[in-house]
Amino acid sequence: MFGSRGLCCSRIWNHSLFLKRSENFRASFSTNSVAKQKRVGTHNGTFHCDETLACFILCLSSRFSDAQIVRTRDHQILEKVDAALDVGGVYDPDSERYDHHQKGFTEVFGHGFNTKLSSAGLVYKHYGLEVIAKELQLDQKHPDVHRLFLAVYKNFIEAVDAIDNGINQYDTDQPPKYVNNTSLAHRIGRLNLDWTEPDQSSSKEDEAFHRAMELAGSEFLECVRFHAKSWLPARSIVMECLAQRHDVDSSGEIMKLSKQCPWKLHIFELEEEIKIDPPIKYVLYQDDRSENWRIQAVSVSPDRFESRKALPFSWRGLEKEKLSEGSSIPGCVFVHMSGFIGANRTYEGALAMARASLNA
């Protein structure tokens, strides 16, 4: 597995220059003035997404913001580092040990999540709130910090945990219908030294690990910032619109967005949170470009294409006059062939389409 490099060689580089790229986070972290620089250990050899991401997240914390990364499997060296990730066979947050390979390990994130944690999930579980709070510039006890903490785990970290622990996304024995090698885990894996690479030295492997940390870290930061700048504000909008759904239609199954935003990220969670029954079937919103009003059928779940109640079959594929004639609703623009979306020139027309579809 490790070729001529051996199992016990350790490699160290200063990670602080890399962290300067994360200016929003970095600016809020205190400079480590301790003479002895902290060291974070992880295993050498083939690297994976979980430990590259775990190293990145840990180095975003105040305690480890200026840390060095030590890559080794030498237990004598690992005993002396300030933190050890994905190696060592110990999970003990008090001593900063975050491995998940040992027999009997069953730690999960909690908060309703039951996926076994990898080193990434372990570090995020203990340091994620600090990282999120600094990005939002809020106290860790603020409810928005907790919401983002859970959302980033659900939409980013949990998949890293599951893939590293060999947990399938679906309970099925059927083969996949297509190959998907574009996940973060796949892309991190391809950054390992190829067997055809003539230089298989320790320093070359460290360079590859550094690039993998950069890739995992940049996507983590993108996820955090998206949720901070877009996800949270959209959640507030969807919450308000759900509360007003009976003003739109007495059925309570049609929601009108007051402002176009990524509603699909929230509607399922909020429906469950505030116990909406019956669930929303259609969402109406104005298209910023054409000023037409869209009617979109809500899917049966966030990861499925099927709609809870698609637009009528007889409307699908029709446009303009033909659609208006077929539906007896003026101002129709189109209905998609799959029936998941359509449009009308006016809000009143889109609402009429939604009401007719409910009763179809």
Side-chain angles (χ1 to χ4, degrees):
M1 182 176 179
F2 301 104
S4 61
R5 293 193 293 275
L7 295 176
C8 298
C9 62
S10 65
R11 281 87 77 185
I12 303 174
W13 73 86
N14 191 315
H15 188 58
S16 59
L17 292 176
F18 169 55
L19 287 179
K20 289 180 180 177
R21 299 186 180 188
S22 310
E23 294 179 358
N24 288 349
F25 279 93
R26 188 70 173 144
S28 64
F29 292 159
S30 59
T31 303
N32 189 345
S33 58
V34 181
K36 183 181 177 182
Q37 194 172 30
K38 290 190 179 297
R39 302 194 303 167
V40 174
T42 190
H43 63 81
N44 56 1
T46 301
F47 51 78
H48 306 93
C49 185
D50 73 313
E51 75 266 19
T52 59
L53 180 59
C55 286
F56 185 90
I57 294 174
L58 191 64
C59 290
L60 291 177
S61 70
S62 297
R63 184 175 185 184
F64 292 97
S65 63
D66 224 12
Q68 293 177 321
I69 305 298
V70 180
R71 301 188 67 234
T72 184
R73 290 184 183 272
D74 187 325
H75 288 287
Q76 291 183 340
I77 295 175
L78 290 171
E79 286 176 359
K80 297 177 182 178
V81 297
D82 299 284
L85 316 179
D86 209 46
V87 70
V90 175
Y91 168 52
D92 178 20
D94 291 336
S95 60
E96 304 288 2
R97 265 50 189 172
Y98 302 101
D99 197 10
H100 66 111
H101 297 99
Q102 57 273 23
K103 184 177 180 180
F105 177 87
T106 58
E107 189 74 11
V108 298
F109 189 66
H111 308 286
F113 296 97
N114 298 308
T115 299
K116 181 181 174 181
L117 298 180
S118 68
S119 61
L122 286 172
V123 170
Y124 185 77
K125 181 173 183 174
H126 294 282
Y127 284 94
L129 276 174
E130 177 189 345
V131 171
I132 298 295
K134 287 176 178 176
E135 172 66 7
L136 293 180
Q137 297 182 350
L138 294 171
D139 186 89
Q140 289 189 31
K141 295 181 180 179
H142 193 283
D144 282 350
V145 173
H146 185 70
R147 287 191 185 102
L148 238 68
F149 177 59
L150 299 183
V152 171
Y153 182 77
K154 177 179 180 179
N155 294 292
F156 191 87
I157 305 291
E158 186 176 23
V160 176
D161 289 340
I163 290 170
D164 195 77
N165 284 304
I167 301 171
N168 290 325
Q169 190 173 13
Y170 301 101
D171 292 328
T172 178
D173 295 329
Q174 297 299 314
K177 294 183 178 180
Y178 55 86
V179 174
N180 181 7
N181 289 326
T182 62
S183 71
L184 179 60
H186 281 101
R187 286 179 284 130
I188 292 292
R190 286 196 290 269
L191 290 176
N192 280 283
L193 296 182
D194 191 82
W195 69 276
T196 61
E197 171 65 47
D199 185 355
Q200 297 282 324
S201 65
S202 300
S203 59
K204 195 72 173 179
E205 184 183 284
D206 285 346
E207 291 175 8
F209 184 84
H210 188 283
R211 289 193 298 273
M213 278 185 65
E214 186 173 29
L215 174 58
S218 65
E219 296 206 8
F220 171 74
L221 294 181
E222 285 178 7
C223 179
V224 171
R225 290 166 183 163
F226 165 77
H227 281 83
K229 296 177 181 179
S230 177
W231 185 89
L232 266 180
R235 186 182 190 277
S236 298
I237 292 172
V238 175
M239 176 71 89
E240 292 174 1
C241 295
L242 283 173
Q244 298 167 1
R245 66 192 186 280
H246 288 287
D247 297 334
V248 176
D249 186 75
S250 60
S251 69
E253 298 179 64
I254 303 171
M255 184 181 79
K256 175 189 175 185
L257 277 181
S258 58
K259 184 176 183 180
Q260 190 173 348
C261 66
W263 55 270
K264 286 178 280 188
L265 299 173
H266 300 287
I267 196 165
F268 297 96
E269 292 181 1
L270 290 174
E271 282 181 332
E272 183 176 348
E273 183 178 316
I274 59 182
K275 308 302 180 185
I276 290 181
D277 187 34
I280 303 297
K281 303 300 190 302
Y282 304 107
V283 175
L284 310 180
Y285 58 90
Q286 190 168 26
D287 188 329
D288 291 336
R289 292 171 294 181
S290 66
E291 297 187 355
N292 292 326
W293 278 84
R294 296 291 182 100
I295 169 176
Q296 187 160 346
V298 179
S299 58
V300 295
S301 64
D303 56 351
R304 298 282 295 275
F305 293 113
E306 296 89 347
S307 301
R308 288 173 172 172
K309 190 172 178 61
L311 298 175
F313 184 82
S314 60
W315 296 2
R316 300 178 196 179
L318 298 181
E319 297 181 355
K320 299 179 180 179
E321 291 82 6
K322 288 186 178 181
L323 179 56
S324 292
E325 291 174 6
S327 64
S328 301
I329 299 171
C332 290
V333 179
F334 79 94
V335 168
H336 192 273
M337 281 294 297
S338 66
F340 86 98
I341 194 169
N344 194 286
R345 290 198 298 269
T346 68
Y347 165 68
E348 292 75 15
L351 180 57
M353 292 173 72
R355 286 172 169 165
S357 299
L358 273 181
N359 299 318

